[in-house]
Amino acid sequence: MAKLWAGRTNANTSKLADEFNSSINIDKRMYKEDIEGSIAHVSMLSYCNIILKSEEIKITNGLKNILKDIESGKLKINENAEDIHMFIEETLTKRIGNVGKKLHTARSRNDQVALDIRLYLRKEIKLITNLINAIIKTIIKIAKNNRNVIMSGFTHLQKAQPITFAHYILAYGMMFKRDKERLNDLLKRINISPIGACALAGTTYKTNRKYEAKLLKMDGVCENSIDAVSDRDFIIELASNISIIAMHLSRLAEETVIFTSNEFNYIELSDALTTGSSIMPQKKNSDMAELVRGKTGRVYGNLINILTLLKGLPLAYNKDMQEDKELIFDSIDTIKNCINIFIEMLSTMKINKERMRDDALSGFINATDLADYLVNKGMAFRDAYKLSGKIVNFCIKENNKLNKKDSGFKFTLENLDINTYKKFSKLFSEDVYDFINLDNCVKRRNSYGGTSQSNIDTQIKYLNK
Ligand code: ARG
């Protein structure tokens, strides 16, 4: 196929080479940014008297019409073109004639693609941030409705201490807030203009890069033209930020799978978000959560892929870099889908409050509080800890002696009669039951950031900021 860059070679590349070289199927999604960049470019060229004002107007109108026609579907993006930059420039010249050939003055595709991707990612970061805001909002709503819902907190996936479901879910709110901050910080580095670096060395035309950057609402210009066309750090950073979001979602997904299992039954997902089995009629599987967990692998892969792509590249532009877009676009699409599906899962799930509380009663999760009780009565913590452990051990042994049919937890710290307690220590009296009551255990944990209801309000305020 004949090329705009025919000259040094006759550019009649083979069909196989054309297909191999072409990136239009991937980069066509940047058509808007490419046109936006070109309009700013001709405006700068005319501002600097490199082209005539009348030429600027013709080119700008031509570009605006192309944009309009792409959006309305009137202009189909030609999949045989080399890339979106070539397609738009070729279409422009076809439509407005020779003046279209002036568009690429003082510009190279190397700085053009670097600009387009920055503009595109800038937009996508805002969209991802909006989704993160929405998931945080969902979490806040759940927290508000579950301030008093007692459950076991876990360490090592073993029941540890009583917490509230609000406190539990707000932990994810904190993660997503950090994710948002990371994306926002990255905007500082993304929103810097490489355009005007040209192929790698700058240009002999008297251009004004800062003027062009300002037109594009960018915060500054890349200081070194070689770096401007070689830098893909911001893509790696975004791939890494997205990986962290995916990791957070994946932990939530894992817990969703665990908490929806028969054994836990802490939460139930809406039927609309679960699947059945083709053979086992009783199944209700948390496929959406599993897929989020699974897709995290793909997102990590993209990060490693881009890092590896860049690691051996000499300065400045190399065609290898064309591969970066497919990877980062995939990470962006994947994370948006994952956040969206989780917002729907969270906002429609049923929280089995009774079940969580019942389950919390069978794990000795107030054993720390029992020790604290003794400390309040004057015992040293280490001794109190040991004694509390002994009492737990006693209960476990007694439970084991019970007939299987009587199953369950007859012997718990809540149920143990006071005389048995007194056999362990004279410090015990009736007030122990109140002290180790799960609601009271939670209420007392009011150290800053702890699980008490007063802290839940503080955390919600923090997330709302
Ligand atoms: N499609 C190319 C890419 O995505 C555009 C830049 C081409 N530059 C070049 N010197 N061949 O990287």
Side-chain angles (χ1 to χ4, degrees), residues 21-35 70 77-79 81-88 109 112-113 116-117 120 317 319 321-329:
N21 195 36
S22 170
S23 59
I24 190 136
N25 270 324
I26 305 298
D27 56 36
K28 64 181 174 195
R29 64 161 88 187
M30 302 193 304
Y31 70 88
K32 211 176 193 157
E33 288 70 27
D34 194 73
I35 290 173
I70 291 178
I77 292 175
N78 177 5
E79 316 254 298
E82 190 175 322
D83 56 28
I84 191 64
H85 325 293
M86 288 307 205
F87 171 74
I88 287 171
R109 258 190 304 162
Q112 186 181 356
V113 71
D116 290 4
I117 188 74
Y120 184 81
Y317 179 84
K319 196 59 174 262
M321 288 162 139
Q322 178 165 284
E323 293 282 311
D324 60 3
K325 281 173 274 326
E326 187 167 0
L327 303 168
I328 195 66
F329 292 166

Side-chain angles (χ1 to χ4, degrees), residues 194-395:
I195 198 72
C198 301
L200 79 162
T203 180
T204 53
Y205 294 98
K206 297 278 168 279
T207 54
N208 188 331
R209 289 186 60 207
K210 289 185 179 163
Y211 177 81
E212 192 167 345
K214 218 177 200 166
L215 292 179
L216 292 163
K217 299 196 170 58
M218 299 186 93
D219 302 324
V221 296
C222 303
E223 295 293 328
N224 177 306
S225 63
I226 301 173
D227 182 49
V229 291
S230 312
D231 174 22
R232 296 292 185 273
D233 295 2
F234 55 94
I235 299 185
I236 296 171
E237 274 190 71
L238 181 58
S240 155
N241 289 350
I242 291 176
S243 296
I244 297 175
I245 302 171
M247 177 270 289
H248 290 153
L249 286 172
S250 187
R251 292 180 81 167
L252 185 55
E254 169 71 6
E255 289 186 325
T256 304
V257 173
I258 293 175
F259 288 172
T260 52
S261 68
N262 273 324
E263 289 67 20
F264 275 79
N265 193 23
Y266 285 5
I267 55 178
E268 193 179 333
L269 296 178
S270 146
D271 285 358
L273 294 164
T274 52
T275 61
S277 153
S278 57
I279 172 170
M280 297 165 281
Q282 83 283 13
K283 287 287 224 168
K284 178 169 174 179
N285 296 328
S286 305
D287 287 27
M288 308 307 139
E290 290 169 24
L291 275 172
V292 169
R293 190 177 57 189
K295 283 176 192 291
T296 301
R298 158 206 289 259
V299 169
Y300 288 4
N302 290 337
L303 168 64
I304 298 300
N305 208 328
I306 303 170
L307 278 168
T308 311
L309 187 68
L310 269 294
K311 85 180 249 292
L313 288 191
L315 302 180
Y317 179 84
N318 301 269
K319 196 59 174 262
D320 316 44
M321 288 162 139
Q322 178 165 284
E323 293 282 311
D324 60 3
K325 281 173 274 326
E326 187 167 0
L327 303 168
I328 195 66
F329 292 166
D330 181 64
S331 284
I332 289 170
D333 295 345
T334 305
I335 207 67
K336 281 159 83 179
N337 288 337
C338 290
I339 303 175
N340 266 323
I341 198 83
F342 244 110
I343 291 173
E344 205 164 313
M345 272 198 282
L346 290 173
S347 51
T348 55
M349 73 185 178
K350 185 170 158 258
I351 296 157
N352 296 334
K353 307 179 183 188
E354 310 281 296
R355 162 67 193 149
M356 275 198 285
R357 196 192 170 89
D358 282 354
D359 199 42
L361 288 169
S362 67
F364 304 105
I365 60 177
N366 42 9
T368 315
D369 296 84
L370 190 68
D372 289 343
Y373 171 86
L374 293 167
V375 169
N376 279 346
K377 301 267 165 165
M379 197 182 275
F381 179 74
R382 264 296 153 237
D383 296 330
Y385 166 90
K386 217 180 220 154
L387 192 64
S388 175
K390 269 191 187 156
I391 298 172
V392 168
N393 199 27
F394 169 81
C395 290

Side-chain angles (χ1 to χ4, degrees), residues 118-135:
R118 282 172 187 263
L119 294 177
Y120 184 81
L121 296 184
R122 171 176 84 174
K123 178 176 83 186
E124 287 295 330
I125 283 177
K126 288 183 183 147
L127 296 177
I128 298 173
T129 303
N130 290 344
L131 286 178
I132 296 180
N133 278 333
I135 200 169

Side-chain angles (χ1 to χ4, degrees), residues 364-428:
F364 304 105
I365 60 177
N366 42 9
T368 315
D369 296 84
L370 190 68
D372 289 343
Y373 171 86
L374 293 167
V375 169
N376 279 346
K377 301 267 165 165
M379 197 182 275
F381 179 74
R382 264 296 153 237
D383 296 330
Y385 166 90
K386 217 180 220 154
L387 192 64
S388 175
K390 269 191 187 156
I391 298 172
V392 168
N393 199 27
F394 169 81
C395 290
I396 292 174
K397 284 202 176 123
E398 291 303 310
N399 282 329
N400 286 344
K401 280 189 214 158
L402 290 175
N403 189 330
K404 277 265 152 59
K405 270 187 275 165
D406 291 338
S407 75
F409 268 72
K410 284 265 159 74
F411 289 85
T412 67
L413 299 180
E414 289 84 342
N415 293 345
L416 206 60
D417 68 275
I418 194 67
N419 291 331
T420 313
Y421 265 125
K422 284 191 167 153
K423 272 187 212 150
F424 282 98
S425 166
K426 292 206 165 31
L427 293 175
F428 282 116

